[in-house]
Amino acid sequence: MRYLKGVLAVSLAVSVLTGQSRAAVLSLYTFPAAPYQVVDGTSGPDRAVRGLTVDTIICAASGAGGLARFHAAPQKRALHFLLNDQVDGYFAVDPSTSLDELALRTDPVSLEKWHLVSRADSAPAENPRIGAISGSNEEAWLRARGKDIFVTVRSPQQLIALLQRQRIDQVLMDQRVLESLSGTEGLSSQFLRYVPLHMYLSKRFESRNPGFVAAFNRQIPDCIDGNFDLDEVETAHIRGLAYDLFREIEATVPLRAAIKNGPGITNLSEILNLDAQWQALAPLHYSPMARRVADTDASVALRKWQETHGSLVTEVMITNNIGTLVAMSRLTSDFWQGDEPKFQRHIREATRDLYVSPIRYDASTSRFQVTVSLPIHVKGRWIPVGVLVIGLDVEEALVGENHILYLTQTTPR
């Protein structure tokens, strides 16, 4: 089924780009940030570039009918090239209001996990001296929040050296970047936020290649580098939050009635056919079956409930024991959930406990999320009749305002 979904995604991209006589060639700039963007040791802008985010962009561009070529430059210079139409695109960056006015932002092509790093033996600083990479996403984020930056340098390794020599007190850095560095003994870190990063394409490129960005975005879920696991503390936090949300839904929406009154198709061939029709139109348009599911009383109730939770809840869905949807708060990517772990854990493996998925990029919500699920069973008996699933925006779920205080107080041990 995963293979079939991948084939469908490629066919959609081809259909969108029908009529183009040749592949779109993208000249893209990025900056060194191992393991996402790894640049070889030679000098000049044409140094070889590889890495996790590079692989994602190569895959998505190819699926959308394009060929990506990469160049390396410091972030400020790469941004200058983009804004002056000297390059087709620039990645991987935090969303920017000013950039959104001048270029087209793709869906996320990478997910970083930022930590505040300090010496394990350092005393709490009342006004910590913070270090950042010059022109980096971290520097922009700190400055946008009015944080004083004591020093900026050109590389992550320089920041670690300054931290070890006690020239600065704190560093804001991605976890994978930190793990790729040497000389990190004796340091401690505290999770701050998950950060979806994007690629910006020039409007001139889009005018020459209409429909490319939409096709590129459709490829991302199949191209982005796997799943991102939550750690034990994060998982425990998500579980506690999820149980409260499940109790709210159970008190608001008649779950068993939703299953009883929803589509009860049992023929696998018919299910797969309906699923293909659904996927071909989602997430922009409804197939007849998608419209039927969306118009049920249970779906209306789920939408109203989700609205009360702002951006925290990305979606809610109910399946029957076959794995097809009977209710949803928003249009999902597919109709049949029977090949998904969130369904198989509860129906095929008879797991009664709450299931928390790894972090993944979801095309229907255009966000990185975790899904949490519980089985729905016959009242008073352990006979599962369906599954209740909630999608949670990972950053909204894990980051509270108290994390920001660490920047002006101390890094917890």
Side-chain angles (χ1 to χ4, degrees), residues 36 109-113 174 194-197 228 359 368 394:
Y36 304 99
V109 294
S110 181
L111 179 68
E112 293 190 356
K113 186 178 182 180
D174 170 68
Y194 277 100
V195 189
L197 299 179
F228 305 84
I359 302 168
F368 283 96
V394 65

Side-chain angles (χ1 to χ4, degrees), residues 10-226:
V10 172
S11 67
L12 282 170
V14 171
S15 67
V16 169
L17 295 171
T18 297
Q20 291 187 2
S21 59
R22 57 186 176 83
V25 179
L26 296 87
S27 175
L28 304 176
Y29 265 73
T30 189
F31 52 92
Y36 304 99
Q37 297 99 236
V38 182
V39 182
D40 71 18
T42 61
S43 61
D46 294 325
R47 293 176 290 173
V49 184
R50 54 186 171 82
L52 299 177
T53 307
V54 173
D55 290 343
T56 296
I57 291 174
I58 290 173
C59 173
S62 176
L67 175 64
R69 294 176 178 171
F70 301 93
H71 312 276
Q75 288 173 299
K76 290 182 179 179
R77 188 185 308 166
L79 181 59
H80 173 79
F81 289 154
L82 174 67
L83 297 181
N84 287 276
D85 275 333
Q86 295 174 271
V87 65
D88 295 320
Y90 166 56
F91 70 94
V93 291
D94 231 349
S96 161
T97 302
S98 58
L99 271 179
D100 285 336
E101 295 176 354
L102 301 170
L104 296 174
R105 172 161 43 103
T106 70
D107 285 349
V109 294
S110 181
L111 179 68
E112 293 190 356
K113 186 178 182 180
W114 288 1
H115 279 244
L116 279 169
V117 187
S118 63
R119 287 174 55 91
D121 60 357
S122 62
E126 183 176 348
N127 294 298
R129 298 166 297 173
I130 304 170
I133 304 297
S134 177
S136 66
N137 296 314
E138 290 91 334
E139 181 193 13
W141 188 83
L142 288 167
R143 294 196 188 283
R145 280 149 188 80
K147 304 302 177 184
D148 292 327
I149 299 176
F150 183 75
V151 65
T152 61
V153 295
R154 295 182 61 181
S155 74
Q157 197 69 65
Q158 288 177 292
L159 279 182
I160 295 302
L162 290 173
L163 193 59
Q164 293 286 31
R165 294 201 297 266
Q166 302 185 45
R167 297 284 300 277
I168 55 177
D169 302 308
Q170 292 180 347
V171 169
L172 184 57
M173 186 177 293
D174 170 68
Q175 181 181 31
R176 283 180 172 176
V177 172
L178 178 63
E179 291 170 351
S180 73
L181 302 176
S182 60
T184 59
E185 300 82 6
L187 301 182
S188 66
S189 65
Q190 169 68 38
F191 166 72
L192 181 69
R193 64 182 292 234
Y194 277 100
V195 189
L197 299 179
H198 304 255
M199 177 166 69
Y200 277 92
L201 291 172
S202 71
K203 292 184 178 180
R204 187 177 68 174
F205 173 84
E206 172 65 11
S207 68
R208 296 197 309 263
N209 302 276
F212 179 86
V213 173
F216 180 91
N217 287 341
R218 280 193 290 270
Q219 303 305 306
I220 290 175
D222 291 322
C223 292
I224 203 159
D225 180 52

Side-chain angles (χ1 to χ4, degrees), residues 224-260:
I224 203 159
D225 180 52
N227 294 318
F228 305 84
D229 292 328
L230 297 167
D231 62 32
E232 292 182 4
V233 173
E234 292 169 335
T235 300
H237 178 82
I238 292 290
R239 291 175 69 87
L241 175 62
Y243 277 121
D244 290 338
L245 296 174
F246 280 126
R247 280 191 288 268
E248 287 184 23
I249 292 180
E250 290 172 341
T252 305
V253 182
L255 304 178
R256 298 172 188 84
I259 294 172
K260 181 179 179 181

Side-chain angles (χ1 to χ4, degrees), residues 63 69 157 221 230 251-252 259 289 328 352 361 366 372 413:
R69 294 176 178 171
Q157 197 69 65
L230 297 167
T252 305
I259 294 172
M289 177 55 73
M328 59 186 179
R352 303 189 187 193
Y361 179 73
S366 298
V372 289
R413 303 283 179 253

